[in-house]
Amino acid sequence: MSNQNFDVIVIGAGPGGYIAAIRAAQLGFSTACIDEWKNARGGPAPGGTCTNVGCIPSKALLQSSEHFEHAGHGFAEHGIGLANLTIDVAKMLARKDQVVKQNNDGILYLFKKNKVSFFHDRGSFVRQTAEGWEIAVGELRLVGKQIIVATGSSARALPGVPFDEANILSNDGALRIGAVPKKLGLIGSGVIGLEMGSVWRRLGAQVMVLEALPTFLGAVDEQVAKEAHKAFTKQGLKIELGVKVGAIESGAKGVKVAYTDAKGGAQELTVDKLIVSIGRLPNTTGLNAEAVGLALDERGAIVVDAECRTNLPGVWAVGDVVRGPMLAHKAEEEGVAVAERIAGQHGHVDFNLVPWVIYTHPEIAWVGQTEQQLKAAGRAYKAGSFPFLANGRARALGDTTGFVKFLADAASDEILGVHIVGPMASELISEAAVAMAFRASAEDIARICHAHPSLAEATKEAALAVDKRTLNF
Ligand code: FAD
Ligand code: NAI
């Protein structure tokens, strides 16, 4: 059997891999992309964690559950009455699956459009040859001059407590619970814990979140984390901080979690389902990395330099399988930058400008430095914030929780960080990222005409607040 040769072979078709493959093909390279993810019928399902069991399905369920919550609790103040509100969980999950499928199909279409050869199987290293790196894909052998590894990550289980996806759920099981559980437990109040906890709480579950750290959302700006904690608690999400999780027993009657509370007291929680969302681990076991001496760190992540080069010539790695935030857009940016570097261009990713969004209600979004980071670095800064309560559009929407906060350099006024908790924070944060990419000052934003009435006016007002001259507050 003869080898198939390519300029670039990408292993993994998540957001890091499929975007890298498209960009490589756009740059004129003969490109292959290999991905093993199977849909329910055993067919290809490119898009990785993000499309299949991450960003996309979670946002579909967040949308459905938010509609349900609005219909149940928000419509009345608009004079809209609804009797006998029901939720058909099977239909909601089927819609989510359809949204996922549209994205899988979209990627297959993009591969065709860009002439990327797609292989649906596991890809693993065989050896280095004079022509490049030999990669096994089932019975096939591909050879690539350049390899981009984008194999992503998987949910981390608690030691000795494997996921059964029936009672003890990873993000995968959490996105396909067939009926609203009466009691839902979550271990970890990170991004998945809050998003998934919100979905099932809105649909009627009693939700209890157990978090090891004593601080809520420690990486988020303190003021934002405090506001979000207040809002989630008011909604009925129970979050217990500073716990130590002990034995977990799963049986016909549900799941029992023994834990020690922050005061050292022994506690027990019994729930129908338990979601374990305590972070993710890089996927490197299927790569046969040892055969070629690809260096991994102690977590199993591929070791890369600032430009995503591994220890092997012509082998690159991007996305969740390497250091840095585990975010789809970070993976995509790295994928594009690597394809461009292979083409001799100057691909660049600024990690300080990677925005974060938590799609709860209120949404939380930020870019750049937090106030606690600036204090720790001893940087002189000015802060300004503006509450959505004073924003006309937010009042009309009936969604006035939260604020926009700007942090700017005390001397130059350059924007150092923007933190938002409130309606549509996920969309509003882009203006901040753009401004920071152009190294704008707070005054630059304050002097730009923003449409009225819009939530974005809160951004302009927060920029004005840096100079203590808000107009509407
Ligand atoms: P992945 O998306 O994990 O893709 C890797 C692909 O490689 C997979 O298809 C896998 O099957 C394949 N693969 C692995 N090994 C092999 C092999 N040897 N051969 C062939 N194929 C292989 N991020 C955001 O930015 N926004 C969000 O809203 C968001 N929501 C999330 C919600 C949840 C519930 C979860 C779990 C994650 C979420 N994330 C979100 C994180 C995001 O999904 C990841 O950061 C992103 O998917 C990483 O992309 P990637 O390409 O590095 O890897
Ligand atoms: P996470 O890192 O966001 O949160 C994990 C939480 O679990 C932390 O608060 C940690 O202190 C806690 N924890 C760890 N071990 C624990 C233990 N033994 N007992 C109790 N608590 C424990 O990880 P999560 O939520 O699993 O999500 C993984 C990643 O996926 C995120 O970090 C993010 O990169 C990505 N993601 C992004 C989303 C977005 O951008 N909107 C949505 C969902 C996931």
Side-chain angles (χ1 to χ4, degrees), residues 158 187-188 190-192 195 211-213 277-279 326-327 357 359:
L158 281 163
I187 313 276
V191 198
I192 296 181
E195 290 188 357
E211 165 61 45
L213 291 179
S277 46
I278 56 166
M326 289 187 168
L327 295 173
V357 178
Y359 293 82

Side-chain angles (χ1 to χ4, degrees), residues 69-86:
E69 179 142 282
H70 279 317
H73 302 287
F75 281 10
E77 72 169 68
H78 294 266
I80 303 168
L82 260 183
N84 302 324
L85 185 66
T86 59

Side-chain angles (χ1 to χ4, degrees), residues 54-55 58-59 153 155-156 158-159 186-195 210-213 215 217-218 243-245 276-280 320 324-329 355-359:
C55 323
S58 61
K59 266 80 254 178
S153 65
R156 180 161 81 86
L158 281 163
L186 288 112
I187 313 276
S189 71
V191 198
I192 296 181
L194 294 174
E195 290 188 357
L210 299 178
E211 165 61 45
L213 291 179
T215 346
L217 287 179
V243 311
K244 192 169 183 324
V245 174
V276 178
S277 46
I278 56 166
R280 298 178 62 80
D320 280 13
M326 289 187 168
L327 295 173
H329 41 285
W356 275 85
V357 178
I358 308 178
Y359 293 82

Side-chain angles (χ1 to χ4, degrees), residues 322-345:
V322 304
R323 81 290 165 266
M326 289 187 168
L327 295 173
H329 41 285
K330 174 264 192 184
E332 290 181 18
E333 292 303 308
E334 284 184 334
V336 167
V338 164
E340 293 179 351
R341 282 172 200 137
I342 290 172
Q345 299 180 2

Side-chain angles (χ1 to χ4, degrees), residues 4-13 17-22 24-25 29-35 111 114-120 135 137 140-150:
Q4 293 187 45
N5 286 51
F6 292 92
D7 294 325
V8 178
I9 297 177
V10 184
I11 309 179
Y18 92 79
I19 289 291
I22 290 174
F29 296 117
S30 62
T31 305
C33 187
I34 309 165
D35 192 280
F111 280 161
N114 289 284
K115 301 192 173 51
V116 172
S117 302
F118 178 64
F119 295 86
H120 184 214
I135 305 290
V137 188
L140 289 174
R141 293 290 178 273
L142 312 183
V143 176
K145 288 184 200 142
Q146 303 278 334
I147 308 294
I148 305 174
V149 182

